[in-house]
Amino acid sequence: MVIGCGQCGGRIADQFALLGKNAKRQRGISIVSNVLAINTDIADLSGLVHVKPDYKHRILIGSRKTAGHGVGKLNELGAQLAREDGDKILDSIRETRLLQDTDAFLLVAGASGGTGSGAIAVLTKMIKERFVDKPVYNMIVLPFNYEEVTEERTIYNVGTCLKSAYGVADAVILADNQRYVRDSSSISDNFSKINYRFVEPFYNILSAGEETTPRYIGSKVLDAGDIIQTLSGWTVIGHSKIANSFLPFKLGFRGKHAETQKGAQAMEDAISELSLKCRPEDARRALYLLSAHPNKMSIDIIKELSSTLRDNAKHAIIRSGDYPRGDNMGVTVIMSEISSPKKVMDYFDRTIRFISLDKRLSQGFNMEDAFGSIPSLLD
């Protein structure tokens, strides 16, 4: 079940709703039990396309204090309103028709905003306390570089959001906006493409364990249990896709070698496209899923994929699976339990410095002292 918090989280949840529709239409399977969007801004909720438009799916919180106009980047207020109106979200979850089939919750938010940054940890805690048998994951989107430069509250919001989420979520999936930005594209085009890039890797991962048609069930099925056993702490996800030739798999030794190398390249590409730049060797858990036409899968490709991932994530417990779906060769990688990601530690350090400076400015400024320190030209 996906729950989007704030503007950024709501838009990504909207992409998950579309992903769920595509899975039903293209594959005849259900991969998302429900999608909710929570916000303090009624205009943001109105701009969604795929989340159901009723008040049980697009949930406005804090309307008495914000009049439906948001919290203005004050994530403390976003957290307070989530605490006050959290029962609305719990009621919608309880009324989900497929609640019993829900393996886990995924809450999504942008780290730099007000509503999502403040609400995500509060709602995670509430959901964990109410649904104790289901893991609750967070997907937190880190800001663009320009946001950090132009908006003073950004660093503080990111630091407090990351710390709070890490303290309650079973895993925090990090997604860096700046990672996929394209300077030549418009703002709206960048946003939609980046949000799609964040969601796309989940399609095959969520589909593989739900298939019921025998020809689409892998030799080694990757199901919800494997994902749950992998996800822990700081986490990143990546995906790559390489077009397959339509030649039969029974090739000469050169052709077979080329196909095997294609698998290794797909793995390298997936690692290079991880949702946050990090050191793979710092991961303690990892998972990969190979998806391809069944005629294009072989033991040699699986061995090459495993070897390539092992070379990168030397200390990780690795789980894997295959999914005989699609014409292209796709590889999805999850790296989890990453120790002290550099970008996260940098945000914590900058947040501490911001708080220290803000405290000095608020406590240290006195008009009389300032006037006494400045020489007068009248003397």
Side-chain angles (χ1 to χ4, degrees), residues 286-358:
L287 169 157
Y288 77 84
L289 176 69
L290 168 67
S291 59
H293 191 280
N295 291 339
K296 292 292 182 178
M297 289 185 177
S298 73
I299 293 295
D300 285 342
I301 291 177
I302 296 291
K303 289 165 84 173
E304 192 67 32
L305 289 172
S306 298
S307 177
T308 304
L309 183 55
R310 169 58 64 203
D311 289 343
N312 283 273
K314 296 179 174 61
H315 309 294
I317 298 170
I318 297 175
R319 293 177 173 85
S320 64
D322 61 281
Y323 184 29
R325 263 276 194 184
D327 293 324
N328 296 318
M329 181 181 291
V331 173
T332 306
V333 176
I334 294 175
M335 293 191 181
S336 201
E337 206 173 313
I338 300 170
S339 58
S340 304
K342 184 179 182 303
K343 188 152 190 172
V344 172
M345 296 304 107
D346 182 53
Y347 276 125
F348 286 159
D349 180 58
R350 292 161 70 191
T351 302
I352 292 168
R353 283 188 276 130
F354 174 87
I355 293 170
S356 176
L357 177 61
D358 187 61

Coordinates of all heavy atoms in Angstrom, one line a residue, residues 286-358:
A286 N 21.6 -7.1 -0.2 CA 21.3 -6.7 -1.6 C 20.4 -7.7 -2.3 O 20.3 -8.9 -1.8 CB 22.6 -6.6 -2.4
L287 N 19.8 -7.3 -3.3 CA 18.9 -8.1 -4.0 C 18.9 -7.7 -5.5 O 19.0 -6.6 -5.8 CB 17.5 -7.9 -3.4 CG 16.2 -8.4 -4.1 CD1 15.1 -8.6 -3.0 CD2 15.7 -7.5 -5.2
Y288 N 18.7 -8.7 -6.4 CA 18.5 -8.4 -7.8 C 17.5 -9.3 -8.4 O 17.3 -10.4 -8.0 CB 19.8 -8.4 -8.6 CG 20.3 -9.8 -9.0 CD1 19.9 -10.4 -10.1 CD2 21.3 -10.4 -8.2 CE1 20.3 -11.7 -10.4 CE2 21.8 -11.7 -8.5 CZ 21.3 -12.3 -9.6 OH 21.7 -13.6 -10.0
L289 N 16.8 -8.7 -9.5 CA 15.8 -9.5 -10.2 C 16.2 -9.3 -11.7 O 16.3 -8.2 -12.2 CB 14.4 -8.9 -10.0 CG 13.3 -9.6 -10.8 CD1 13.1 -11.0 -10.4 CD2 12.0 -8.8 -10.7
L290 N 16.3 -10.5 -12.4 CA 16.5 -10.5 -13.8 C 15.2 -10.7 -14.5 O 14.5 -11.7 -14.2 CB 17.5 -11.6 -14.2 CG 17.6 -11.9 -15.7 CD1 18.2 -10.7 -16.5 CD2 18.4 -13.1 -16.0
S291 N 14.8 -9.8 -15.4 CA 13.6 -10.1 -16.2 C 14.0 -10.1 -17.7 O 14.8 -9.2 -18.1 CB 12.6 -9.0 -16.0 OG 13.1 -7.7 -16.3
A292 N 13.5 -11.0 -18.4 CA 13.8 -11.2 -19.8 C 12.8 -12.2 -20.4 O 12.1 -12.9 -19.7 CB 15.2 -11.6 -20.0
H293 N 12.9 -12.3 -21.8 CA 12.1 -13.4 -22.4 C 12.7 -14.7 -22.0 O 14.0 -14.8 -21.8 CB 12.3 -13.2 -24.0 CG 11.4 -14.1 -24.7 ND1 11.6 -15.5 -24.9 CD2 10.2 -13.9 -25.3 CE1 10.7 -16.0 -25.6 NE2 9.8 -15.0 -25.9
P294 N 11.9 -15.7 -21.7 CA 12.4 -17.0 -21.2 C 13.5 -17.6 -22.0 O 14.4 -18.3 -21.5 CB 11.2 -17.9 -21.1 CG 10.1 -17.2 -21.8 CD 10.4 -15.7 -21.8
N295 N 13.4 -17.4 -23.4 CA 14.4 -18.0 -24.3 C 15.8 -17.3 -24.1 O 16.8 -17.7 -24.7 CB 13.9 -17.9 -25.7 CG 12.8 -18.9 -26.0 OD1 12.6 -19.8 -25.2 ND2 12.0 -18.6 -27.0
K296 N 15.8 -16.1 -23.4 CA 17.0 -15.4 -23.3 C 17.7 -15.5 -22.0 O 18.7 -14.9 -21.7 CB 16.7 -13.9 -23.6 CG 16.3 -13.5 -25.0 CD 17.5 -13.8 -25.9 CE 17.1 -13.4 -27.4 NZ 18.3 -13.5 -28.2
M297 N 17.1 -16.4 -21.1 CA 17.7 -16.6 -19.8 C 18.5 -17.8 -19.8 O 18.2 -18.8 -20.4 CB 16.6 -16.7 -18.7 CG 15.9 -15.4 -18.4 SD 14.7 -15.6 -17.1 CE 14.1 -13.9 -16.9
S298 N 19.6 -17.8 -19.1 CA 20.5 -19.0 -18.9 C 21.2 -18.9 -17.6 O 21.3 -17.9 -17.0 CB 21.5 -19.0 -20.1 OG 22.5 -18.0 -19.8
I299 N 21.7 -20.1 -17.2 CA 22.5 -20.2 -16.0 C 23.7 -19.3 -16.0 O 24.1 -18.7 -15.1 CB 22.9 -21.6 -15.7 CG1 21.6 -22.5 -15.4 CG2 23.9 -21.7 -14.5 CD1 20.9 -22.1 -14.1
D300 N 24.3 -19.2 -17.2 CA 25.5 -18.4 -17.4 C 25.2 -16.9 -17.1 O 26.0 -16.2 -16.5 CB 26.1 -18.5 -18.8 CG 26.8 -19.9 -19.0 OD1 27.1 -20.5 -18.0 OD2 27.0 -20.3 -20.2
I301 N 24.0 -16.4 -17.6 CA 23.7 -15.0 -17.3 C 23.5 -14.8 -15.8 O 23.9 -13.8 -15.3 CB 22.4 -14.6 -18.1 CG1 22.8 -14.6 -19.6 CG2 21.9 -13.3 -17.7 CD1 21.6 -14.3 -20.5
I302 N 22.8 -15.7 -15.2 CA 22.5 -15.6 -13.7 C 23.8 -15.6 -13.0 O 24.1 -14.8 -12.1 CB 21.6 -16.8 -13.2 CG1 20.2 -16.7 -13.9 CG2 21.5 -16.7 -11.7 CD1 19.4 -15.5 -13.4
K303 N 24.8 -16.5 -13.3 CA 26.1 -16.5 -12.7 C 26.8 -15.2 -12.9 O 27.5 -14.7 -12.0 CB 26.9 -17.7 -13.2 CG 26.3 -19.0 -12.7 CD 26.9 -20.2 -13.5 CE 28.2 -20.6 -13.0 NZ 28.7 -21.9 -13.7
E304 N 26.7 -14.6 -14.1 CA 27.4 -13.4 -14.4 C 26.9 -12.2 -13.6 O 27.6 -11.4 -13.0 CB 27.4 -13.1 -15.9 CG 28.3 -12.0 -16.4 CD 29.7 -12.4 -16.3 OE1 30.1 -13.6 -16.4 OE2 30.6 -11.5 -16.0
L305 N 25.5 -12.2 -13.5 CA 24.9 -11.2 -12.7 C 25.3 -11.3 -11.2 O 25.6 -10.3 -10.6 CB 23.3 -11.3 -12.8 CG 22.7 -10.9 -14.1 CD1 21.2 -11.3 -14.1 CD2 22.9 -9.4 -14.4
S306 N 25.2 -12.5 -10.7 CA 25.6 -12.7 -9.3 C 27.0 -12.3 -9.0 O 27.4 -11.6 -8.0 CB 25.4 -14.1 -8.9 OG 24.0 -14.5 -9.0
S307 N 27.9 -12.7 -9.9 CA 29.3 -12.3 -9.8 C 29.6 -10.8 -9.8 O 30.4 -10.3 -9.0 CB 30.1 -13.1 -10.9 OG 31.5 -12.7 -10.8
T308 N 28.9 -10.2 -10.8 CA 29.1 -8.7 -10.9 C 28.6 -8.0 -9.6 O 29.2 -7.1 -9.1 CB 28.3 -8.2 -12.1 OG1 28.8 -8.9 -13.3 CG2 28.5 -6.7 -12.3
L309 N 27.4 -8.4 -9.1 CA 26.9 -7.8 -7.9 C 27.8 -8.1 -6.7 O 28.1 -7.2 -5.9 CB 25.5 -8.2 -7.6 CG 24.8 -7.6 -6.4 CD1 24.8 -6.1 -6.5 CD2 23.4 -8.1 -6.3
R310 N 28.3 -9.3 -6.6 CA 29.2 -9.6 -5.5 C 30.5 -8.8 -5.6 O 31.0 -8.4 -4.5 CB 29.5 -11.1 -5.6 CG 30.7 -11.6 -4.7 CD 30.4 -11.3 -3.2 NE 29.2 -12.1 -2.8 CZ 28.5 -11.7 -1.7 NH1 28.8 -10.6 -1.0 NH2 27.4 -12.4 -1.3
D311 N 31.0 -8.6 -6.8 CA 32.2 -7.7 -6.9 C 32.0 -6.3 -6.4 O 32.9 -5.7 -5.9 CB 32.7 -7.7 -8.4 CG 33.2 -9.0 -8.9 OD1 33.6 -9.8 -8.0 OD2 33.3 -9.2 -10.1
N312 N 30.8 -5.8 -6.5 CA 30.4 -4.5 -6.1 C 30.0 -4.4 -4.6 O 30.4 -3.5 -3.9 CB 29.3 -3.9 -7.0 CG 29.8 -3.4 -8.3 OD1 30.2 -2.3 -8.5 ND2 29.7 -4.3 -9.3
A313 N 29.2 -5.4 -4.2 CA 28.7 -5.4 -2.8 C 29.3 -6.5 -2.1 O 28.7 -7.6 -1.8 CB 27.2 -5.5 -2.8
K314 N 30.6 -6.4 -1.8 CA 31.4 -7.5 -1.3 C 31.0 -8.1 0.1 O 31.2 -9.2 0.4 CB 32.9 -7.0 -1.2 CG 33.5 -6.7 -2.5 CD 35.0 -6.2 -2.3 CE 35.7 -6.0 -3.6 NZ 35.0 -4.9 -4.4
H315 N 30.3 -7.2 0.9 CA 30.0 -7.7 2.2 C 28.5 -7.9 2.4 O 28.0 -8.2 3.5 CB 30.4 -6.6 3.2 CG 31.8 -6.1 3.1 ND1 32.9 -7.0 3.3 CD2 32.4 -5.0 2.7 CE1 34.0 -6.3 3.1 NE2 33.7 -5.1 2.7
A316 N 27.7 -7.9 1.3 CA 26.3 -8.1 1.4 C 25.8 -9.5 1.3 O 26.4 -10.3 0.6 CB 25.6 -7.2 0.3
I317 N 24.7 -9.8 2.1 CA 23.9 -11.0 1.8 C 23.1 -10.7 0.6 O 22.3 -9.8 0.6 CB 23.0 -11.3 3.0 CG1 23.9 -11.6 4.3 CG2 22.2 -12.5 2.8 CD1 23.1 -11.6 5.6
I318 N 23.2 -11.6 -0.4 CA 22.6 -11.3 -1.7 C 21.4 -12.3 -2.0 O 21.6 -13.5 -1.8 CB 23.6 -11.4 -2.9 CG1 24.6 -10.3 -2.7 CG2 22.9 -11.2 -4.2 CD1 25.8 -10.3 -3.7
R319 N 20.3 -11.8 -2.3 CA 19.1 -12.6 -2.7 C 18.9 -12.3 -4.2 O 19.2 -11.2 -4.7 CB 17.9 -12.3 -1.9 CG 18.1 -12.8 -0.4 CD 16.9 -12.4 0.4 NE 17.0 -13.0 1.7 CZ 17.6 -12.4 2.7 NH1 18.2 -11.3 2.6 NH2 17.6 -13.0 3.9
S320 N 18.3 -13.2 -4.9 CA 18.1 -13.0 -6.4 C 16.9 -13.8 -6.8 O 16.3 -14.7 -6.2 CB 19.3 -13.5 -7.1 OG 19.5 -14.9 -7.0
G321 N 16.5 -13.4 -8.1 CA 15.3 -14.1 -8.7 C 15.3 -13.8 -10.2 O 16.0 -12.9 -10.6
D322 N 14.5 -14.6 -10.9 CA 14.3 -14.4 -12.3 C 12.8 -14.3 -12.6 O 12.0 -14.9 -11.9 CB 15.0 -15.5 -13.2 CG 14.4 -16.9 -12.9 OD1 14.7 -17.5 -11.8 OD2 13.5 -17.3 -13.7
Y323 N 12.5 -13.5 -13.6 CA 11.2 -13.2 -14.0 C 11.0 -13.3 -15.5 O 11.4 -12.3 -16.2 CB 10.8 -11.8 -13.5 CG 9.4 -11.4 -13.7 CD1 8.3 -12.3 -13.7 CD2 9.1 -10.0 -13.8 CE1 7.0 -11.9 -13.9 CE2 7.8 -9.6 -13.9 CZ 6.7 -10.5 -14.0 OH 5.4 -10.1 -14.1
P324 N 10.5 -14.4 -16.0 CA 10.4 -14.5 -17.5 C 9.3 -13.7 -18.1 O 8.3 -14.3 -18.6 CB 10.2 -16.1 -17.6 CG 9.5 -16.5 -16.4 CD 10.0 -15.6 -15.3
R325 N 9.5 -12.4 -18.2 CA 8.5 -11.5 -18.7 C 9.2 -10.4 -19.6 O 10.2 -9.9 -19.2 CB 7.8 -10.8 -17.6 CG 6.4 -11.3 -17.2 CD 5.3 -10.8 -18.0 NE 4.0 -11.1 -17.4 CZ 2.9 -10.9 -18.0 NH1 2.8 -10.4 -19.2 NH2 1.7 -11.2 -17.4
G326 N 8.6 -10.1 -20.7 CA 9.1 -9.0 -21.5 C 10.1 -9.4 -22.6 O 10.7 -10.5 -22.5
D327 N 10.3 -8.5 -23.5 CA 11.2 -8.8 -24.6 C 12.6 -8.3 -24.3 O 13.6 -8.8 -24.8 CB 10.7 -8.2 -25.9 CG 9.4 -8.8 -26.4 OD1 9.3 -10.1 -26.3 OD2 8.5 -8.1 -26.9
N328 N 12.7 -7.2 -23.5 CA 14.0 -6.7 -23.1 C 14.6 -7.3 -21.9 O 13.8 -7.9 -21.1 CB 13.9 -5.2 -22.9 CG 13.4 -4.4 -24.2 OD1 13.9 -4.7 -25.3 ND2 12.5 -3.5 -24.0
M329 N 15.9 -7.3 -21.8 CA 16.5 -7.7 -20.6 C 16.6 -6.6 -19.6 O 17.1 -5.5 -19.8 CB 18.0 -8.2 -20.9 CG 18.7 -8.8 -19.7 SD 20.4 -9.3 -20.1 CE 20.1 -10.7 -21.1
G330 N 16.0 -6.9 -18.4 CA 16.0 -5.8 -17.4 C 16.6 -6.4 -16.1 O 16.4 -7.5 -15.8
V331 N 17.3 -5.5 -15.4 CA 17.8 -5.9 -14.1 C 17.4 -4.8 -13.1 O 17.6 -3.6 -13.3 CB 19.4 -6.0 -14.2 CG1 19.9 -6.2 -12.7 CG2 19.8 -7.1 -15.1
T332 N 16.8 -5.2 -12.0 CA 16.5 -4.3 -10.9 C 17.4 -4.7 -9.7 O 17.5 -5.9 -9.3 CB 15.0 -4.4 -10.5 OG1 14.2 -4.2 -11.7 CG2 14.7 -3.4 -9.4
V333 N 18.0 -3.7 -9.0 CA 18.9 -3.9 -7.9 C 18.4 -3.1 -6.7 O 18.0 -2.0 -6.9 CB 20.3 -3.5 -8.3 CG1 21.2 -3.7 -7.1 CG2 20.9 -4.4 -9.4
I334 N 18.4 -3.8 -5.6 CA 18.2 -3.1 -4.3 C 19.4 -3.3 -3.4 O 19.9 -4.4 -3.3 CB 16.9 -3.6 -3.6 CG1 15.7 -3.2 -4.4 CG2 16.8 -3.0 -2.2 CD1 14.4 -3.8 -3.8
M335 N 20.0 -2.2 -2.9 CA 21.1 -2.3 -1.9 C 20.6 -1.7 -0.6 O 20.0 -0.6 -0.6 CB 22.3 -1.6 -2.4 CG 22.9 -2.3 -3.6 SD 24.6 -1.7 -4.0 CE 25.0 -2.7 -5.4
S336 N 20.7 -2.4 0.5 CA 20.1 -2.0 1.7 C 21.1 -2.2 2.9 O 22.2 -2.7 2.8 CB 18.9 -2.9 2.0 OG 18.0 -2.2 2.9
E337 N 20.7 -1.6 4.0 CA 21.5 -1.6 5.2 C 22.9 -1.0 4.9 O 23.9 -1.5 5.2 CB 21.7 -2.9 5.9 CG 21.9 -2.9 7.4 CD 21.9 -4.3 8.0 OE1 21.0 -5.0 7.7 OE2 22.8 -4.6 8.8
I338 N 22.8 0.2 4.3 CA 24.0 0.9 3.9 C 24.5 1.7 5.1 O 23.8 2.5 5.6 CB 23.8 1.8 2.7 CG1 23.3 1.0 1.5 CG2 25.0 2.6 2.3 CD1 22.8 1.9 0.3
S339 N 25.8 1.5 5.4 CA 26.3 2.2 6.6 C 26.7 3.6 6.2 O 27.5 3.9 5.4 CB 27.5 1.4 7.1 OG 28.5 1.3 6.2
S340 N 26.1 4.6 6.9 CA 26.5 6.0 6.9 C 26.7 6.5 5.5 O 27.8 6.9 5.1 CB 27.8 6.2 7.7 OG 27.7 5.8 9.0
P341 N 25.6 6.6 4.6 CA 25.7 7.2 3.3 C 26.3 8.6 3.4 O 25.8 9.4 4.2 CB 24.3 7.1 2.7 CG 23.6 6.2 3.6 CD 24.2 6.2 4.9
K342 N 27.2 8.9 2.5 CA 27.9 10.2 2.6 C 27.0 11.4 2.5 O 27.1 12.4 3.3 CB 29.0 10.3 1.5 CG 29.8 11.6 1.6 CD 30.8 11.6 0.5 CE 31.7 12.9 0.6 NZ 30.9 14.1 0.5
K343 N 26.0 11.3 1.6 CA 25.1 12.5 1.4 C 24.2 12.7 2.6 O 23.9 13.8 3.0 CB 24.3 12.3 0.2 CG 23.5 13.5 -0.2 CD 23.2 13.6 -1.7 CE 22.6 15.0 -2.0 NZ 22.4 15.2 -3.5
V344 N 23.8 11.6 3.2 CA 23.0 11.7 4.5 C 23.8 12.3 5.6 O 23.3 13.2 6.3 CB 22.4 10.3 4.9 CG1 21.7 10.4 6.2 CG2 21.5 9.8 3.8
M345 N 25.0 11.8 5.8 CA 25.8 12.3 6.8 C 26.1 13.8 6.6 O 26.2 14.6 7.6 CB 27.2 11.6 6.9 CG 27.0 10.1 7.3 SD 26.2 9.8 8.9 CE 24.6 9.2 8.3
D346 N 26.3 14.2 5.3 CA 26.5 15.6 5.0 C 25.3 16.5 5.4 O 25.4 17.6 5.9 CB 26.8 15.7 3.5 CG 27.1 17.2 3.1 OD1 28.0 17.8 3.7 OD2 26.4 17.7 2.2
Y347 N 24.1 15.9 5.1 CA 22.9 16.7 5.5 C 22.8 16.8 7.1 O 22.5 17.9 7.6 CB 21.6 15.9 5.0 CG 21.3 16.3 3.6 CD1 21.1 15.3 2.7 CD2 21.0 17.6 3.2 CE1 20.8 15.5 1.4 CE2 20.7 17.9 1.9 CZ 20.6 16.8 1.0 OH 20.2 17.1 -0.3
F348 N 23.2 15.8 7.8 CA 23.1 15.9 9.2 C 24.1 16.9 9.7 O 23.8 17.7 10.6 CB 23.5 14.5 9.9 CG 22.3 13.5 9.8 CD1 22.6 12.1 9.9 CD2 21.0 13.9 9.6 CE1 21.6 11.2 9.8 CE2 20.0 13.0 9.5 CZ 20.3 11.6 9.6
D349 N 25.3 16.9 9.2 CA 26.3 17.9 9.6 C 25.8 19.3 9.3 O 26.0 20.2 10.1 CB 27.6 17.6 8.8 CG 28.7 18.6 9.2 OD1 29.1 18.7 10.4 OD2 29.3 19.3 8.3
R350 N 25.3 19.5 8.1 CA 24.8 20.9 7.7 C 23.6 21.3 8.5 O 23.4 22.5 8.8 CB 24.5 20.9 6.2 CG 25.7 20.8 5.3 CD 25.4 20.3 3.9 NE 24.7 21.4 3.2 CZ 24.1 21.2 2.0 NH1 24.1 19.9 1.5 NH2 23.5 22.1 1.4
T351 N 22.8 20.4 8.9 CA 21.6 20.7 9.8 C 22.1 21.1 11.2 O 21.5 22.1 11.7 CB 20.7 19.4 9.9 OG1 20.3 19.0 8.7 CG2 19.5 19.8 10.8
I352 N 23.1 20.5 11.7 CA 23.6 20.9 13.0 C 24.2 22.3 12.9 O 24.0 23.1 13.8 CB 24.7 19.9 13.5 CG1 24.1 18.5 13.8 CG2 25.5 20.4 14.7 CD1 25.1 17.4 14.0
R353 N 24.9 22.6 11.9 CA 25.5 23.9 11.7 C 24.4 25.0 11.5 O 24.5 26.1 12.0 CB 26.4 24.0 10.5 CG 27.8 23.3 10.8 CD 28.8 23.5 9.7 NE 28.7 22.5 8.7 CZ 28.6 22.7 7.4 NH1 28.6 24.0 7.0 NH2 28.5 21.7 6.6
F354 N 23.3 24.6 10.8 CA 22.2 25.5 10.6 C 21.5 25.9 11.9 O 21.2 27.0 12.2 CB 21.2 24.9 9.6 CG 19.9 25.7 9.5 CD1 19.9 26.7 8.5 CD2 18.8 25.5 10.3 CE1 18.7 27.5 8.4 CE2 17.6 26.3 10.1 CZ 17.6 27.3 9.2
I355 N 21.3 24.8 12.7 CA 20.6 25.0 14.0 C 21.5 25.9 14.9 O 21.0 26.8 15.6 CB 20.3 23.7 14.7 CG1 19.3 22.9 13.9 CG2 19.9 23.8 16.1 CD1 19.1 21.5 14.3
S356 N 22.8 25.6 14.9 CA 23.7 26.4 15.8 C 23.7 27.9 15.3 O 23.7 28.8 16.2 CB 25.1 25.8 15.6 OG 26.1 26.6 16.4
L357 N 23.8 28.1 14.0 CA 23.8 29.5 13.5 C 22.5 30.2 13.8 O 22.5 31.3 14.3 CB 24.1 29.5 12.0 CG 24.0 30.9 11.3 CD1 25.1 31.8 11.9 CD2 24.2 30.7 9.8
D358 N 21.4 29.5 13.6 CA 20.1 30.0 13.9 C 19.9 30.4 15.4 O 19.3 31.4 15.7 CB 19.0 29.1 13.4 CG 17.6 29.6 13.5 OD1 17.4 30.6 12.8 OD2 16.8 29.1 14.3

